[in-house]
Short mmCIF file of all heavy atoms in Angstrom, two decimals:
data_model
loop_
_atom_site.label_atom_id
_atom_site.label_comp_id
_atom_site.label_asym_id
_atom_site.label_seq_id
_atom_site.Cartn_x
_atom_site.Cartn_y
_atom_site.Cartn_z
N ILE A 9 5.58 7.17 -23.96
CA ILE A 9 4.16 7.14 -23.63
C ILE A 9 3.38 8.04 -24.60
O ILE A 9 3.78 9.17 -24.87
CB ILE A 9 3.93 7.64 -22.19
CG1 ILE A 9 4.57 6.68 -21.19
CG2 ILE A 9 2.44 7.80 -21.89
CD1 ILE A 9 4.58 7.20 -19.76
N ILE A 10 2.30 7.50 -25.13
CA ILE A 10 1.36 8.28 -25.93
C ILE A 10 0.09 8.40 -25.09
O ILE A 10 -0.60 7.40 -24.87
CB ILE A 10 1.03 7.60 -27.27
CG1 ILE A 10 2.30 7.44 -28.12
CG2 ILE A 10 -0.02 8.40 -28.04
CD1 ILE A 10 2.09 6.62 -29.38
N GLN A 11 -0.20 9.60 -24.59
CA GLN A 11 -1.40 9.76 -23.77
C GLN A 11 -2.53 10.35 -24.61
O GLN A 11 -2.40 11.43 -25.18
CB GLN A 11 -1.16 10.66 -22.56
CG GLN A 11 -2.42 10.74 -21.69
CD GLN A 11 -2.25 11.53 -20.41
OE1 GLN A 11 -1.14 11.84 -20.02
NE2 GLN A 11 -3.35 11.82 -19.75
N VAL A 12 -3.63 9.62 -24.67
CA VAL A 12 -4.81 10.07 -25.38
C VAL A 12 -5.69 10.84 -24.41
O VAL A 12 -6.02 10.34 -23.33
CB VAL A 12 -5.60 8.88 -25.98
CG1 VAL A 12 -6.82 9.38 -26.75
CG2 VAL A 12 -4.70 8.04 -26.87
N VAL A 13 -6.05 12.06 -24.78
CA VAL A 13 -6.95 12.86 -23.96
C VAL A 13 -8.20 13.19 -24.77
O VAL A 13 -8.11 13.52 -25.94
CB VAL A 13 -6.28 14.15 -23.44
CG1 VAL A 13 -5.20 13.81 -22.43
CG2 VAL A 13 -5.70 14.98 -24.57
N ARG A 14 -9.33 13.06 -24.13
CA ARG A 14 -10.60 13.28 -24.82
C ARG A 14 -10.90 14.77 -24.96
O ARG A 14 -10.94 15.50 -23.97
CB ARG A 14 -11.72 12.59 -24.04
CG ARG A 14 -13.09 12.75 -24.67
CD ARG A 14 -14.09 11.87 -23.96
NE ARG A 14 -15.46 12.27 -24.26
CZ ARG A 14 -16.54 11.64 -23.79
NH1 ARG A 14 -16.38 10.59 -23.00
NH2 ARG A 14 -17.74 12.07 -24.11
N CYS A 15 -11.11 15.21 -26.20
CA CYS A 15 -11.40 16.61 -26.49
C CYS A 15 -12.69 16.73 -27.30
O CYS A 15 -12.83 17.59 -28.15
CB CYS A 15 -10.24 17.25 -27.26
SG CYS A 15 -8.70 17.35 -26.31
N PHE A 16 -13.62 15.83 -27.05
CA PHE A 16 -14.91 15.87 -27.75
C PHE A 16 -16.03 15.58 -26.75
O PHE A 16 -15.82 14.90 -25.74
CB PHE A 16 -14.97 14.86 -28.89
CG PHE A 16 -14.93 13.42 -28.44
CD1 PHE A 16 -16.09 12.72 -28.16
CD2 PHE A 16 -13.71 12.77 -28.28
CE1 PHE A 16 -16.06 11.39 -27.72
CE2 PHE A 16 -13.67 11.44 -27.85
CZ PHE A 16 -14.84 10.75 -27.56
N GLU A 17 -17.20 16.10 -27.05
CA GLU A 17 -18.39 15.85 -26.24
C GLU A 17 -19.24 14.78 -26.93
O GLU A 17 -19.42 14.83 -28.15
CB GLU A 17 -19.21 17.13 -26.07
CG GLU A 17 -18.51 18.25 -25.32
CD GLU A 17 -18.53 18.04 -23.81
OE1 GLU A 17 -19.16 17.05 -23.35
OE2 GLU A 17 -17.93 18.87 -23.10
N ASP A 18 -19.73 13.83 -26.16
CA ASP A 18 -20.63 12.81 -26.69
C ASP A 18 -21.37 12.19 -25.51
O ASP A 18 -20.80 11.43 -24.74
CB ASP A 18 -19.86 11.73 -27.46
CG ASP A 18 -20.77 10.74 -28.16
OD1 ASP A 18 -21.97 10.66 -27.79
OD2 ASP A 18 -20.31 10.04 -29.08
N PRO A 19 -22.67 12.51 -25.38
CA PRO A 19 -23.44 11.99 -24.25
C PRO A 19 -23.58 10.47 -24.26
O PRO A 19 -23.90 9.87 -23.23
CB PRO A 19 -24.81 12.67 -24.41
CG PRO A 19 -24.88 13.03 -25.86
CD PRO A 19 -23.48 13.36 -26.27
N ASN A 20 -23.29 9.85 -25.41
CA ASN A 20 -23.41 8.40 -25.52
C ASN A 20 -22.15 7.66 -25.07
O ASN A 20 -22.14 6.43 -25.00
CB ASN A 20 -23.76 8.00 -26.96
CG ASN A 20 -25.10 8.54 -27.39
OD1 ASN A 20 -26.07 8.47 -26.64
ND2 ASN A 20 -25.16 9.09 -28.60
N VAL A 21 -21.07 8.41 -24.85
CA VAL A 21 -19.81 7.80 -24.42
C VAL A 21 -19.51 8.29 -23.01
O VAL A 21 -19.27 9.47 -22.78
CB VAL A 21 -18.65 8.15 -25.36
CG1 VAL A 21 -17.35 7.50 -24.87
CG2 VAL A 21 -18.96 7.71 -26.79
N ILE A 22 -19.54 7.38 -22.07
CA ILE A 22 -19.37 7.72 -20.66
C ILE A 22 -17.94 8.20 -20.40
O ILE A 22 -16.97 7.59 -20.83
CB ILE A 22 -19.64 6.48 -19.78
CG1 ILE A 22 -21.04 5.93 -20.05
CG2 ILE A 22 -19.47 6.82 -18.30
CD1 ILE A 22 -21.23 4.51 -19.53
N HIS A 23 -17.82 9.32 -19.69
CA HIS A 23 -16.50 9.76 -19.22
C HIS A 23 -16.39 9.36 -17.76
O HIS A 23 -17.28 9.63 -16.96
CB HIS A 23 -16.33 11.27 -19.38
CG HIS A 23 -14.92 11.73 -19.16
ND1 HIS A 23 -14.32 11.78 -17.93
CD2 HIS A 23 -13.97 12.13 -20.04
CE1 HIS A 23 -13.07 12.20 -18.06
NE2 HIS A 23 -12.83 12.43 -19.33
N VAL A 24 -15.29 8.75 -17.41
CA VAL A 24 -15.13 8.16 -16.08
C VAL A 24 -15.27 9.20 -14.96
O VAL A 24 -15.71 8.88 -13.86
CB VAL A 24 -13.79 7.40 -15.97
CG1 VAL A 24 -12.61 8.36 -15.97
CG2 VAL A 24 -13.76 6.51 -14.75
N SER A 25 -14.90 10.45 -15.24
CA SER A 25 -15.01 11.49 -14.21
C SER A 25 -16.27 12.34 -14.36
O SER A 25 -16.47 13.30 -13.61
CB SER A 25 -13.77 12.39 -14.23
OG SER A 25 -13.68 13.08 -15.46
N GLY A 26 -17.09 12.02 -15.35
CA GLY A 26 -18.36 12.71 -15.52
C GLY A 26 -18.31 13.99 -16.32
O GLY A 26 -19.34 14.61 -16.56
N LYS A 27 -17.12 14.42 -16.75
CA LYS A 27 -17.01 15.63 -17.56
C LYS A 27 -15.77 15.54 -18.45
O LYS A 27 -14.83 14.81 -18.16
CB LYS A 27 -16.91 16.86 -16.67
CG LYS A 27 -15.68 16.88 -15.78
CD LYS A 27 -15.59 18.15 -14.95
CE LYS A 27 -14.35 18.14 -14.05
NZ LYS A 27 -14.20 19.40 -13.28
N VAL A 28 -15.81 16.30 -19.55
CA VAL A 28 -14.68 16.33 -20.47
C VAL A 28 -13.74 17.45 -20.05
O VAL A 28 -14.08 18.64 -20.13
CB VAL A 28 -15.15 16.55 -21.92
CG1 VAL A 28 -13.95 16.69 -22.86
CG2 VAL A 28 -16.04 15.39 -22.37
N ASP A 29 -12.57 17.09 -19.54
CA ASP A 29 -11.58 18.05 -19.06
C ASP A 29 -10.20 17.44 -19.28
O ASP A 29 -9.65 16.76 -18.41
CB ASP A 29 -11.80 18.35 -17.58
CG ASP A 29 -10.86 19.44 -17.06
OD1 ASP A 29 -9.89 19.78 -17.76
OD2 ASP A 29 -11.10 19.94 -15.94
N PRO A 30 -9.61 17.64 -20.48
CA PRO A 30 -8.34 16.98 -20.80
C PRO A 30 -7.19 17.31 -19.86
O PRO A 30 -6.35 16.47 -19.59
CB PRO A 30 -8.05 17.44 -22.24
CG PRO A 30 -8.88 18.66 -22.43
CD PRO A 30 -10.09 18.47 -21.60
N LEU A 31 -7.14 18.54 -19.35
CA LEU A 31 -6.06 18.90 -18.43
C LEU A 31 -6.18 18.14 -17.11
O LEU A 31 -5.17 17.72 -16.53
CB LEU A 31 -6.03 20.40 -18.18
CG LEU A 31 -5.70 21.28 -19.39
CD1 LEU A 31 -5.53 22.73 -18.97
CD2 LEU A 31 -4.45 20.79 -20.11
N SER A 32 -7.42 17.94 -16.67
CA SER A 32 -7.63 17.14 -15.47
C SER A 32 -7.24 15.69 -15.73
O SER A 32 -6.64 15.03 -14.87
CB SER A 32 -9.11 17.21 -15.04
OG SER A 32 -9.35 16.36 -13.94
N ASP A 33 -7.54 15.20 -16.94
CA ASP A 33 -7.16 13.83 -17.31
C ASP A 33 -5.63 13.68 -17.28
O ASP A 33 -5.11 12.69 -16.76
CB ASP A 33 -7.66 13.50 -18.72
CG ASP A 33 -9.18 13.45 -18.80
OD1 ASP A 33 -9.84 13.61 -17.76
OD2 ASP A 33 -9.70 13.24 -19.91
N ILE A 34 -4.95 14.66 -17.86
CA ILE A 34 -3.48 14.63 -17.89
C ILE A 34 -2.92 14.62 -16.47
O ILE A 34 -2.01 13.85 -16.15
CB ILE A 34 -2.93 15.84 -18.68
CG1 ILE A 34 -3.22 15.67 -20.18
CG2 ILE A 34 -1.42 16.00 -18.46
CD1 ILE A 34 -2.91 16.90 -21.01
N GLU A 35 -3.49 15.48 -15.63
CA GLU A 35 -3.02 15.57 -14.24
C GLU A 35 -3.25 14.26 -13.49
O GLU A 35 -2.37 13.81 -12.75
CB GLU A 35 -3.75 16.71 -13.52
CG GLU A 35 -3.28 16.90 -12.08
CD GLU A 35 -4.04 18.01 -11.36
OE1 GLU A 35 -5.22 18.22 -11.67
OE2 GLU A 35 -3.43 18.66 -10.50
N THR A 36 -4.40 13.63 -13.71
CA THR A 36 -4.71 12.36 -13.04
C THR A 36 -3.68 11.29 -13.39
O THR A 36 -3.13 10.61 -12.51
CB THR A 36 -6.11 11.86 -13.42
OG1 THR A 36 -7.08 12.81 -12.95
CG2 THR A 36 -6.40 10.50 -12.80
N ILE A 37 -3.40 11.15 -14.68
CA ILE A 37 -2.43 10.15 -15.12
C ILE A 37 -1.04 10.48 -14.57
O ILE A 37 -0.33 9.60 -14.05
CB ILE A 37 -2.38 10.07 -16.66
CG1 ILE A 37 -3.73 9.64 -17.23
CG2 ILE A 37 -1.27 9.11 -17.11
CD1 ILE A 37 -4.13 8.23 -16.92
N GLU A 38 -0.65 11.75 -14.68
CA GLU A 38 0.70 12.14 -14.23
C GLU A 38 0.88 11.87 -12.74
O GLU A 38 1.93 11.37 -12.32
CB GLU A 38 0.92 13.62 -14.53
CG GLU A 38 2.38 14.05 -14.51
CD GLU A 38 3.11 13.71 -15.80
OE1 GLU A 38 3.41 12.51 -16.03
OE2 GLU A 38 3.40 14.64 -16.56
N ILE A 39 -0.13 12.22 -11.95
CA ILE A 39 -0.03 11.99 -10.50
C ILE A 39 0.13 10.50 -10.20
O ILE A 39 0.97 10.11 -9.37
CB ILE A 39 -1.26 12.57 -9.77
CG1 ILE A 39 -1.20 14.10 -9.77
CG2 ILE A 39 -1.34 12.04 -8.33
CD1 ILE A 39 -2.46 14.76 -9.24
N GLU A 40 -0.66 9.67 -10.85
CA GLU A 40 -0.58 8.23 -10.60
C GLU A 40 0.78 7.67 -10.99
O GLU A 40 1.34 6.83 -10.28
CB GLU A 40 -1.70 7.49 -11.33
CG GLU A 40 -3.09 7.81 -10.84
CD GLU A 40 -3.25 7.58 -9.34
OE1 GLU A 40 -2.69 6.60 -8.82
OE2 GLU A 40 -3.94 8.39 -8.69
N LEU A 41 1.32 8.15 -12.09
CA LEU A 41 2.64 7.67 -12.52
C LEU A 41 3.74 8.16 -11.57
O LEU A 41 4.68 7.42 -11.26
CB LEU A 41 2.93 8.12 -13.95
CG LEU A 41 1.99 7.61 -15.04
CD1 LEU A 41 2.52 7.99 -16.43
CD2 LEU A 41 1.78 6.10 -14.96
N MET A 42 3.62 9.39 -11.09
CA MET A 42 4.61 9.90 -10.14
C MET A 42 4.54 9.14 -8.82
O MET A 42 5.59 8.81 -8.23
CB MET A 42 4.41 11.40 -9.91
CG MET A 42 4.87 12.26 -11.07
SD MET A 42 4.99 14.05 -10.68
CE MET A 42 3.27 14.47 -10.56
N LEU A 43 3.32 8.85 -8.34
CA LEU A 43 3.18 8.09 -7.10
C LEU A 43 3.77 6.69 -7.26
O LEU A 43 4.44 6.17 -6.35
CB LEU A 43 1.71 8.00 -6.71
CG LEU A 43 1.07 9.30 -6.20
CD1 LEU A 43 -0.44 9.11 -6.04
CD2 LEU A 43 1.68 9.72 -4.87
N ALA A 44 3.53 6.09 -8.41
CA ALA A 44 4.08 4.75 -8.65
C ALA A 44 5.60 4.78 -8.72
O ALA A 44 6.28 3.88 -8.21
CB ALA A 44 3.49 4.18 -9.95
N ASP A 45 6.15 5.81 -9.37
CA ASP A 45 7.61 5.95 -9.42
C ASP A 45 8.19 6.14 -8.02
O ASP A 45 9.25 5.58 -7.68
CB ASP A 45 8.01 7.13 -10.31
CG ASP A 45 8.00 6.79 -11.79
OD1 ASP A 45 7.87 5.60 -12.12
OD2 ASP A 45 8.11 7.72 -12.61
N MET A 46 7.51 6.92 -7.20
CA MET A 46 7.99 7.14 -5.83
C MET A 46 7.99 5.83 -5.04
O MET A 46 8.93 5.54 -4.30
CB MET A 46 7.11 8.17 -5.12
CG MET A 46 7.62 8.57 -3.74
SD MET A 46 9.27 9.34 -3.75
CE MET A 46 8.82 11.04 -4.11
N GLN A 47 6.96 5.01 -5.24
CA GLN A 47 6.91 3.71 -4.59
C GLN A 47 8.08 2.83 -5.03
O GLN A 47 8.72 2.15 -4.21
CB GLN A 47 5.60 3.01 -4.91
CG GLN A 47 4.38 3.62 -4.23
CD GLN A 47 3.09 2.92 -4.64
OE1 GLN A 47 3.12 1.91 -5.35
NE2 GLN A 47 1.96 3.45 -4.21
N THR A 48 8.36 2.85 -6.31
CA THR A 48 9.48 2.07 -6.84
C THR A 48 10.80 2.51 -6.21
O THR A 48 11.61 1.68 -5.77
CB THR A 48 9.57 2.23 -8.37
OG1 THR A 48 8.37 1.72 -8.97
CG2 THR A 48 10.77 1.49 -8.95
N LEU A 49 11.01 3.81 -6.14
CA LEU A 49 12.26 4.35 -5.59
C LEU A 49 12.36 4.11 -4.09
O LEU A 49 13.44 3.77 -3.58
CB LEU A 49 12.36 5.85 -5.89
CG LEU A 49 12.49 6.21 -7.38
CD1 LEU A 49 12.30 7.70 -7.58
CD2 LEU A 49 13.84 5.76 -7.92
N ASP A 50 11.24 4.27 -3.39
CA ASP A 50 11.23 4.02 -1.95
C ASP A 50 11.60 2.57 -1.64
O ASP A 50 12.28 2.28 -0.65
CB ASP A 50 9.86 4.34 -1.35
CG ASP A 50 9.58 5.84 -1.29
OD1 ASP A 50 10.53 6.62 -1.49
OD2 ASP A 50 8.41 6.22 -1.07
N GLY A 51 11.14 1.66 -2.49
CA GLY A 51 11.46 0.25 -2.28
C GLY A 51 12.88 -0.10 -2.67
O GLY A 51 13.50 -1.00 -2.08
N ALA A 52 13.43 0.64 -3.65
CA ALA A 52 14.77 0.33 -4.15
C ALA A 52 15.87 0.91 -3.27
O ALA A 52 16.98 0.36 -3.21
CB ALA A 52 14.93 0.86 -5.58
N LEU A 53 15.60 2.01 -2.59
CA LEU A 53 16.64 2.70 -1.83
C LEU A 53 17.27 1.84 -0.73
O LEU A 53 18.50 1.76 -0.66
CB LEU A 53 16.10 4.01 -1.25
CG LEU A 53 17.11 4.85 -0.47
CD1 LEU A 53 18.30 5.23 -1.35
CD2 LEU A 53 16.44 6.12 0.08
N PRO A 54 16.49 1.18 0.13
CA PRO A 54 17.12 0.38 1.19
C PRO A 54 18.03 -0.72 0.63
O PRO A 54 19.12 -0.97 1.18
CB PRO A 54 15.93 -0.22 1.94
CG PRO A 54 14.79 0.71 1.67
CD PRO A 54 15.01 1.17 0.27
#
């Protein structure tokens, strides 16, 4: 995985969360991927 995180300010480019915060971006992606992995494992275990 190559994760692109925004580290620039530009009022003309909308940020989905309303602010530039790369660590928050990283956390958002990581949480979603972990939740998805947990769903996969929960379904595979039975």
Side-chain angles (χ1 to χ4, degrees):
I9 295 171
I10 300 173
Q11 183 176 348
V12 181
V13 291
R14 180 171 163 178
C15 295
F16 66 90
E17 296 281 356
D18 187 341
N20 297 316
V21 179
I22 303 164
H23 191 287
V24 70
S25 63
K27 62 178 180 177
V28 175
D29 185 347
L31 295 187
S32 175
D33 294 357
I34 289 171
E35 182 182 31
T36 296
I37 298 292
E38 197 80 286
I39 288 172
E40 294 305 322
L41 298 188
M42 286 193 289
L43 288 172
D45 278 350
M46 186 62 84
Q47 289 177 6
T48 298
L49 294 168
D50 288 348
L53 182 58

